[in-house]
Amino acid sequence: MSRPQQISVLGATGSIGLSTLDVIARHPERYQAFALSGFTRLSELLALCVRHAPRFAVVPQAAAARSLQDDLRAAGLSTRVLVGEEGLCQVAADPEVDAVMAAIVGAAGLRPTLAAVEAGKKILLANKEALVMSGALFMQAVRKSGSVLLPIDSEHNAIFQCMPADFARGLSSVGVRRILLTASGGPFRQTPMAELAHVSPDQACAHPNWSMGRKISVDSASMMNKGLELIEACWLFDAKPSQVEVVIHPQSVIHSLVDYVDGSVLAQLGNPDMRTPISNALAWPERIDSGVPPLDLFAVARLDFQAPDEERFPCLRLARQAAEAGNSAPAMLNAANEVAVAAFLDGRVRYLEIASIIEETLNLEPVVAVDDLEAVFTADAKARLLAEQWLSRHGR
Ligand code: NDP
Ligand code: MG
């Protein structure tokens, strides 16, 4: 029997990382955790190492690495601890690695994910911010290295499953008319507008259907998540922004749809559990058990659809504008959003101010071409600075 596939899980201590390790543990004959990374939750990382015995663990600082290395040795493990972005890039590109789960949140995931792409790995892409920031360069690198890029985001995994059979082998999306990107509408879909001014981080993170990390939960509440996903879909499926329509579907059972020129509309359905797209991408083009219970359509009973309200969700409008502007605009949108959401989660800004920070940042800086990674990080840094200046101007 062949050896199990070696998987590096970047962001192992997060929500996607844990779901990935759950699936890996169900199939020890097929998959083995090669490397696990953590950032702040280092005791959880130790527990994961004890459970999965990876070859490498990655932490952000040298002191934390020494302490984890001691703990691992005491537990009788030979796992080697690496440090920082360099360590992440090393385990992403290691010749022994078959696939990389890119599940670090935010811009911090870009360089390690690109390292995996450049090494020609199979990429399981959860870290949508990486693709949003650097779309053209990222897809160019995928084509150059021949990397197989499989979407983990539930909507994009659904679209991928509804695409023509040979799409992933480099054939185009011939015959596709529109992509219908579903959105639950988050916790504030029906909250009276006057109350939105006072909602707390915990309310924003209480998603009705999905359990996720705090940053993406806030993005889901503001629908910036759907905006980032719109940009992500354009890159993954070679679509124009005008071909991607956002559809509010509060039950989160249909994970997205593809509309073909002959009038056929294909959808992928399932319980809202990330282990389905993770298993789909891990095993593609085969199918494996994910641990997700079968969908009970009688319990679901009905499926509703609504158009999104851009007045309620200005972040969706800002993201669509950035998608249309292209170039540096998506990287700036993403960076301003990261600063604004972190400040909201810290209690420094109010929910409605997230969109104001992003809009003012984008209005202050012209859109420029981004021909290399350096230009992407320059745009990212400029937007972070402008968003931070907004915070200090407003005494936060
Ligand atoms: P979490 O916040 O739960 O996990 C994020 C992971 O990234 C953790 O392992 C965290 O480490 C690590 N991390 C955070 N900051 C850094 C940094 N600066 N450098 C290195 N590592 C870092 O997020 P999710 O798992 O929810 O989301 C991960 C990604 O997947 C995001 O891009 C999100 O948009 C995407 N995604 C998530 C979905 C979900 O259902 N959760 C669905 C679709 C996409 P630590 O915890 O130790 O601090
Ligand atoms: Mg999603």
Side-chain angles (χ1 to χ4, degrees):
M1 209 179 119
S2 57
R3 83 195 219 302
Q5 290 179 40
Q6 302 296 308
I7 318 291
S8 282
V9 185
L10 312 183
T13 46
S15 162
I16 293 287
L18 294 176
S19 294
T20 304
L21 289 170
D22 180 279
V23 176
I24 287 178
R26 286 168 194 276
H27 303 278
E29 70 301 342
R30 289 183 76 120
Y31 309 112
Q32 199 176 336
F34 179 84
L36 304 179
S37 88
F39 194 64
T40 56
R41 288 176 271 195
L42 298 185
S43 51
E44 283 86 340
L45 181 62
L46 172 64
L48 292 175
C49 289
V50 169
R51 171 120 195 265
H52 297 275
R55 191 86 63 82
F56 293 102
V58 190
V59 298
Q61 280 119 16
R66 280 193 294 277
S67 136
L68 180 63
Q69 191 69 76
D70 290 346
D71 292 343
L72 288 165
R73 230 176 262 129
L77 286 167
S78 59
T79 304
R80 253 190 70 202
V81 185
L82 304 177
V83 183
E85 195 167 71
E86 201 181 318
L88 292 169
C89 292
Q90 183 180 325
V91 300
D94 191 292
E96 283 195 45
V97 167
D98 297 290
V100 174
M101 168 54 80
I104 289 175
V105 60
L110 177 55
R111 277 207 176 92
T113 307
L114 270 182
V117 170
E118 282 158 8
K121 303 301 181 195
K122 175 167 155 180
I123 310 292
L124 315 174
L125 184 72
N127 177 212
K128 64 192 86 183
E129 296 92 344
L131 187 59
V132 165
M133 289 172 73
S134 69
L137 297 167
F138 192 106
M139 296 309 288
Q140 226 171 19
V142 167
R143 281 189 291 271
K144 190 167 163 207
S145 70
S147 215
V148 174
L149 177 59
L150 298 163
I152 295 298
D153 219 334
S154 58
E155 296 77 2
H156 304 73
N157 186 267
I159 296 161
F160 177 74
Q161 293 193 50
C162 297
M163 277 282 163
D166 280 332
F167 176 80
R169 294 197 169 85
L171 297 188
S172 69
S173 42
V174 174
V176 172
R177 180 162 51 194
R178 274 182 320 162
I179 287 169
L180 302 171
L181 188 66
T182 54
S184 68
F188 304 144
R189 182 172 60 90
Q190 292 174 311
T191 307
M193 294 291 268
E195 286 176 29
L196 287 180
H198 310 291
V199 293
S200 69
D202 284 344
Q203 283 173 292
C205 288
H207 196 281
N209 306 334
W210 296 96
S211 151
M212 309 180 284
R214 282 172 82 76
K215 189 264 180 182
I216 184 176
S217 295
V218 176
D219 285 350
S220 298
S222 70
M223 281 193 81
M224 177 55 89
N225 182 50
K226 213 47 55 180
L228 298 176
E229 290 184 357
L230 186 160
I231 300 170
E232 185 186 11
C234 290
W235 289 116
L236 287 172
F237 305 113
D238 196 19
K240 295 187 202 68
S242 59
Q243 282 177 288
V244 183
E245 189 169 327
V246 174
V247 178
I248 302 240
H249 163 48
Q251 291 89 358
S252 295
V253 166
I254 298 182
H255 298 305
S256 277
L257 315 89
V258 176
D259 173 22
Y260 285 87
V261 287
D262 64 3
S264 301
V265 178
L266 304 192
Q268 186 259 3
L269 284 73
N271 285 314
D273 186 322
M274 289 307 292
R275 290 176 302 173
T276 294
I278 290 167
S279 301
N280 177 266
L282 262 175
W284 181 87
E286 293 169 27
R287 300 260 179 189
I288 54 169
D289 174 35
S290 63
V292 177
L295 178 64
D296 180 351
L297 277 179
F298 300 115
V300 173
R302 55 180 286 178
L303 300 172
D304 294 312
F305 306 99
Q306 292 161 7
D309 173 357
E310 287 192 356
E311 214 173 300
R312 176 179 287 273
F313 298 113
C315 287
L316 192 54
R317 166 178 57 80
L318 295 171
R320 190 176 280 284
Q321 285 165 357
E324 271 151 13
N327 297 298
S328 60
M332 304 234 351
L333 171 93
N334 177 66
N337 182 56
E338 285 192 25
V339 173
V341 170
F344 171 66
L345 284 171
D346 278 357
R348 285 189 291 152
V349 304
R350 284 194 284 270
Y351 167 78
L352 290 176
E353 291 174 328
I354 294 173
S356 313
I357 293 172
I358 300 164
E359 184 152 31
E360 287 183 35
T361 297
L362 291 178
N363 285 344
L364 283 172
E365 194 62 29
V367 175
V368 295
V370 281
D371 298 327
D372 52 28
L373 208 53
E374 187 119 335
V376 171
F377 281 110
T378 304
D380 173 277
K382 269 190 188 150
R384 280 174 205 273
L385 184 67
L386 289 170
E388 294 290 354
Q389 284 170 352
W390 188 103
L391 296 177
S392 33
R393 242 190 353 267
H394 291 77
R396 312 305 166 81

